[in-house]
Amino acid sequence: MLSTQLDTLRALLSHALQPILAGTDLQPTLVLEKPKQAEHGDIACTVALQIAKPLKQNPRLVAEQLIQHLLAQPDSAALIASAEIAGPGFINLRLTPAAKQQVVQAILLQGNEFGRSTAGQAQKVMVEFVSANPTGPLHVGHGRQAALGDALCNLIAANGYTPWREFYYNDAGNQIHNLAISVQCRAKGLTPESADWPADGYRGDYITEIAQDFLAQKTVQADDRSFTANGNPEDLDNIRQFAVAYLRHEQDLDLQAFGVQFDHYYLESSLYTEGKVEQAVQALIDAGKTFEQEGALWLRTTDYGDDKDRVMRKSEGGYTYFVPDVAYHINKWQRGFVKVINVQGTDHAGTIARVRAGLQAANVGIPQGFPDYILHSMVKVMRNGEEVKISKRAGSYVTVRDLIEWVGRDAVRFFLVSRKADSEFVFDIDLALSQSEDNPVFYVQYAHARICSVFEKAAQEGHALDTQADLAPLTSEREYALMAKLAAYPKLLQDAFNDLAPHSVAYYLKDLAAELHSYYNAERVLVDDTALRQARLALLAATRQVLKNGLAILGVSAPERMERVA
């Protein structure tokens, strides 16, 4: 049901309630829901059950009065075909054919804007995602983050907010040191098989490539920064800076291949060089939320629901992992982002409580529950019935670029967002390459292409789409089901954003494709009856538009031609 129709129905119900509630101070909430069973109608309302007890009346009698007042209003005839009482006092409403058909014209009129709203009033929302250490190519877990984060940003925009995509580079710490040592060893001619190879060194072929380019004194560009190697294998600091810049550039190429662009790249190292970590620590000390014990500085995170207090500065020196995270999120807040969503792996679950505790303890005005999180499980890649674990270039894992080269960007993006984020996901290469109903991205894209083929044939027969066609002939059960699914799209976008659940868009698209395929297989579109043909072409055009809009949310293309191999 369209939002405008829901607004009208709520207004009609509110007016119908006035004589029933006269003399009382009751202000019931009008909840309108789609019944779980189609035979119960199009809209269910429970308001009679809400007000019956305080009115000391039988809820079925209240429902009967409400229906009488509702249907007596002149404006109700265009929207409500019938109303009936079910069970103890539920009111089930059935919409008129014209009301059900209205969605088709709305979609044809609004086009790419159908389903979008201005509710967010352009408020900025930051989504931090991918945020990979610059120590190697992006792996499939980063790919899942990229798919989830980018789709979420598209949902944010669809709900009238302004998304801000941010990538946090962990360019400080032991992993970066291990990267530099690994490149240095390669530059000196050592191999991973050498006795002197560091135990925690990186072994992928990309380490050799970095070392070769370092010795050749190459220049690499990462974002708006460039760095030139000096070629001296003894200069570990120069190697570190070159290796980080090199891998940031490589990750940029991975993201470009994936179709993801960021608004900003934030360097962890800048938190130290600009004094933001020290400022955050001092704020916590000044707030009286720290204590020293056995030479270490601790934060009283138990004051904020954590199961134990946490070390901030180790006795041997250096800050623990969550301290720069606290500084970083204070910086996000200070930049004006009052809503922030982090997309991270489930292995980060343990840091959420301590980061939020640190933000509360710093006493800088940040509300509880800041930031929001989407935690995702890792991805297992299967091919020919066996798990694929190793990429030659990466050395120990499958990369995003591997997946894109194997199955294409559309399949990778759709697959990686097609399950609830925290559920385990198996990426089946063979399934992603198949042209069958079991392949969800093919199934949805084929629905779009199938409609395009109908219009191509219609053009050949001299039939053009009439966007103002009379929709009255659309009265079959399959047509009503398809229109109902189309009408659900705007609320789907709203719910997917509110629940931080981009996977629900993929679910919806599969359901919509199923309705389309079912309808296409049961009904002819290019019939001789001109009025029926034009109405059905309009319905298919609307369905094509919503398929395209939904795929765009996921960053997936809507092809006009696809060959299906039996």
Side-chain angles (χ1 to χ4, degrees), residues 168-189:
Y168 177 67
Y169 268 116
N170 300 97
D171 63 335
N174 289 332
Q175 293 182 351
I176 299 299
H177 177 72
N178 290 336
L179 170 67
I181 292 294
S182 302
V183 175
Q184 183 180 53
C185 288
R186 268 299 193 182
K188 290 182 176 181

Side-chain angles (χ1 to χ4, degrees), residues 148-454:
L148 289 167
D150 201 47
L152 180 61
C153 287
N154 292 334
L155 278 171
I156 289 168
N159 281 274
Y161 297 84
T162 302
W164 177 267
R165 295 165 169 84
E166 185 148 303
F167 189 126
Y168 177 67
Y169 268 116
N170 300 97
D171 63 335
N174 289 332
Q175 293 182 351
I176 299 299
H177 177 72
N178 290 336
L179 170 67
I181 292 294
S182 302
V183 175
Q184 183 180 53
C185 288
R186 268 299 193 182
K188 290 182 176 181
L190 297 178
T191 68
E193 292 74 31
S194 303
D196 294 334
W197 190 264
D200 295 327
Y202 295 93
R203 298 170 176 269
D205 286 356
Y206 70 96
I207 297 296
T208 303
E209 296 168 9
I210 298 172
Q212 290 171 346
D213 284 357
F214 175 80
L215 293 173
Q217 301 182 38
K218 294 283 186 71
T219 298
V220 290
Q221 181 78 26
D223 313 321
D224 57 348
R225 305 172 181 87
S226 63
F227 189 84
T228 302
N230 65 16
N232 178 8
E234 299 300 329
D235 190 342
L236 187 61
D237 186 61
N238 193 267
I239 291 173
R240 178 186 61 78
Q241 294 182 68
F242 179 77
V244 168
Y246 185 101
L247 286 169
R248 289 184 61 202
H249 174 72
E250 286 293 303
Q251 291 180 357
D252 286 348
L253 295 178
D254 291 339
L255 293 168
Q256 288 174 23
F258 208 49
V260 176
Q261 292 184 323
F262 283 86
D263 296 295
H264 189 232
Y265 293 84
Y266 199 101
L267 301 182
E268 179 187 5
S269 58
S270 70
L271 294 170
Y272 293 93
T273 58
E274 296 174 9
K276 290 183 171 58
V277 172
E278 289 297 337
Q279 291 169 16
V281 171
Q282 191 60 50
L284 293 169
I285 293 173
D286 293 344
K289 295 299 182 179
T290 64
F291 64 95
E292 294 204 25
Q293 182 175 304
E294 298 178 354
L297 181 66
W298 295 68
L299 178 66
R300 300 184 190 277
T301 56
T302 51
D303 289 355
Y304 303 93
D306 201 359
D307 58 344
K308 62 179 180 180
D309 294 329
R310 305 289 176 172
V311 174
M312 293 175 56
R313 186 178 60 235
K314 295 173 282 189
S315 57
E316 65 272 22
Y319 292 111
T320 53
Y321 182 81
F322 83 97
V323 176
D325 272 4
V326 172
Y328 177 40
H329 285 88
I330 290 175
N331 175 261
K332 289 180 179 180
W333 179 261
Q334 291 172 340
R335 280 188 278 155
F337 293 102
V338 297
K339 185 171 183 62
V340 172
I341 305 164
N342 293 347
V343 184
Q344 297 176 322
T346 50
D347 56 328
H348 287 76
T351 67
I352 294 176
R354 65 198 73 166
V355 169
R356 285 177 171 170
L359 296 175
Q360 291 298 297
N363 196 28
V364 292
I366 296 176
Q368 292 184 10
F370 179 94
D372 291 313
Y373 286 87
I374 295 179
L375 299 181
H376 70 89
S377 296
M378 291 296 105
V379 181
K380 180 188 293 186
V381 180
M382 301 290 290
R383 193 172 200 172
N384 298 324
E386 296 181 354
E387 184 175 358
V388 183
K389 293 184 177 180
I390 297 176
S391 163
K392 181 180 179 184
R393 187 159 185 276
S396 60
Y397 55 84
V398 177
T399 69
V400 170
R401 218 177 300 182
D402 288 331
L403 284 185
I404 295 173
E405 289 174 358
W406 291 340
V407 302
R409 185 171 84 185
D410 282 349
V412 176
R413 289 191 66 136
F414 195 102
F415 268 57
L416 291 178
V417 80
S418 64
R419 294 285 188 277
K420 190 176 179 182
D422 59 0
S423 64
E424 296 294 331
F425 183 66
V426 175
F427 196 111
D428 189 329
I429 300 297
D430 301 312
L431 178 60
L433 291 171
S434 70
Q435 297 180 338
S436 70
E437 295 181 0
D438 294 329
N439 179 352
V441 65
F442 175 84
Y443 190 64
V444 174
Q445 288 182 318
Y446 186 64
H448 183 272
R450 202 171 201 181
I451 296 172
C452 291
S453 70
V454 172

